[in-house]
Amino acid sequence: MAFKLRDPHVALKPVDQIIQSGDEIGLTNPDTANPVTFHPVVTMSENQTLTLNLPEKFWELIRVEPGLPVQVTKIGADKMYYIEGTIHKIEKGKNSNITLQHNGEILCAQRRLFYRFDLRRPCSFKNITQPDGKIISRLKAVIQDMSPSGIGFSASRRLPQGTQFGVGDLFQAVTSDMENLNYYMQVMWVKGNRLFGYRHGAVFKFASEKDQDAFGRVLSRLQIDRLSWYYHNALARK
């Protein structure tokens, strides 16, 4: 399906520095009732033109003709990029190519697999093991947000990437199935400085997919409860 990204912004790099020859991209016709996305390989990217190699057998599944509006997407390490353009030329045969023209504007958005739940609460980490083997018994931190995949937190001490730690009482026993649970995490990134504090991102290290699914359901219910609270309070103010 076609992407509708929230809060896109113009990327600083030009298209030919982000989408390059040899990249596999997503190609979607966003104007159809049932959009279909293919994954052709870029053979050329220059002068507001993209040339894509897409075997002709796929053309029977989607209308491919000059003038057709399309959307191109590329997923990077931490961002998803997309551009909008039109098909300029098609070349059928042994090397079936599609040439697209675009205005040179590439948009990007942060790539996230899950919705963030704003938490904003103090917490205590334990059994903190840094990559160099150094162990810290406890560290106070403030959790800023949470998703089924991890948390964002701030702390006065910098924890290097790869640091592993445990955290208990993550939800302050909001419901009975969240009581006395211990979660284990690993730091994926860290930003900031000693003056203003360090912001970290960490992922959960679940023992199994079943545990991760159960955690996701708990978090979804908590989010629904919060939205319901906001909704009823908004009605009360009218």
Side-chain angles (χ1 to χ4, degrees), residues 59-114:
W59 297 13
E60 300 176 359
L61 304 177
I62 185 173
R63 181 170 58 95
V64 178
E65 61 186 23
L68 180 72
V70 291
Q71 189 176 81
V72 171
T73 58
K74 178 185 175 181
I75 296 178
D78 60 353
K79 290 181 175 64
M80 181 164 60
Y81 303 94
Y82 76 96
I83 61 175
E84 294 181 349
T86 57
I87 293 180
H88 174 63
K89 183 173 63 175
I90 58 176
E91 299 176 21
K92 297 183 179 182
K94 184 177 180 180
N95 296 317
S96 300
N97 291 323
I98 300 175
T99 302
L100 310 180
Q101 288 187 333
H102 57 85
N103 62 5
E105 182 181 86
I106 186 166
L107 304 178
C108 68
Q110 193 168 16
R111 186 180 69 165
R112 298 196 178 280
L113 297 177
F114 302 104

Side-chain angles (χ1 to χ4, degrees), residues 128-136 157-160 162-164:
I128 305 160
T129 304
Q130 298 186 2
D132 60 2
K134 184 177 180 180
I135 297 177
I136 304 171
R157 184 168 186 164
R158 184 182 186 276
L159 299 181
T163 299
Q164 299 189 28

Side-chain angles (χ1 to χ4, degrees), residues 3-230:
F3 291 101
K4 291 186 180 299
L5 302 181
R6 183 178 60 185
D7 298 330
H9 60 276
V10 177
L12 298 178
K13 295 181 180 180
V15 173
D16 59 4
Q17 289 187 22
I18 294 176
I19 300 178
Q20 300 177 333
S21 178
D23 288 347
E24 183 178 282
I25 61 171
L27 176 66
T28 306
N29 176 4
D31 287 351
T32 62
N34 298 296
V36 178
T37 298
F38 297 108
H39 298 278
V41 175
V42 178
T43 59
M44 186 183 70
S45 176
E46 62 181 17
N47 300 326
Q48 298 185 1
T49 299
L50 287 176
T51 303
L52 315 174
N53 178 250
L54 181 66
E56 192 174 342
K57 63 181 180 180
F58 293 109
W59 297 13
E60 300 176 359
L61 304 177
I62 185 173
R63 181 170 58 95
V64 178
E65 61 186 23
L68 180 72
V70 291
Q71 189 176 81
V72 171
T73 58
K74 178 185 175 181
I75 296 178
D78 60 353
K79 290 181 175 64
M80 181 164 60
Y81 303 94
Y82 76 96
I83 61 175
E84 294 181 349
T86 57
I87 293 180
H88 174 63
K89 183 173 63 175
I90 58 176
E91 299 176 21
K92 297 183 179 182
K94 184 177 180 180
N95 296 317
S96 300
N97 291 323
I98 300 175
T99 302
L100 310 180
Q101 288 187 333
H102 57 85
N103 62 5
E105 182 181 86
I106 186 166
L107 304 178
C108 68
Q110 193 168 16
R111 186 180 69 165
R112 298 196 178 280
L113 297 177
F114 302 104
Y115 180 78
R116 280 182 169 190
F117 177 75
D118 292 330
L119 202 59
R120 303 288 200 286
R121 58 147 301 200
C123 198
S124 179
F125 300 155
K126 59 185 180 180
N127 301 326
I128 305 160
T129 304
Q130 298 186 2
D132 60 2
K134 184 177 180 180
I135 297 177
I136 304 171
S137 59
R138 287 192 177 273
L139 176 68
K140 291 183 178 180
V142 177
I143 297 178
Q144 305 290 343
D145 53 66
M146 184 187 308
S147 78
S149 63
I151 64 172
F153 68 91
S154 57
S156 59
R157 184 168 186 164
R158 184 182 186 276
L159 299 181
Q161 182 180 0
T163 299
Q164 299 189 28
F165 60 91
V167 53
D169 192 23
L170 196 58
F171 295 100
Q172 292 184 312
V174 177
T175 62
S176 59
D177 56 356
M178 292 188 239
E179 292 179 356
N180 302 319
L181 295 179
N182 293 312
Y183 300 91
Y184 298 93
M185 317 202 69
Q186 179 173 328
V187 175
M188 299 302 291
W189 56 264
V190 56
K191 299 177 181 179
N193 53 55
R194 182 176 297 180
L195 179 61
F196 296 102
Y198 297 97
R199 178 67 188 256
H200 303 73
V203 295
F204 289 106
K205 307 293 287 185
F206 292 104
S208 66
E209 290 186 4
K210 182 179 179 181
D211 291 346
Q212 185 174 18
D213 290 341
F215 179 82
R217 288 193 295 271
V218 168
L219 199 61
S220 295
R221 188 176 71 249
L222 200 58
Q223 181 69 26
I224 291 172
D225 290 344
R226 173 174 287 192
L227 291 175
S228 177
W229 183 87
Y230 283 137

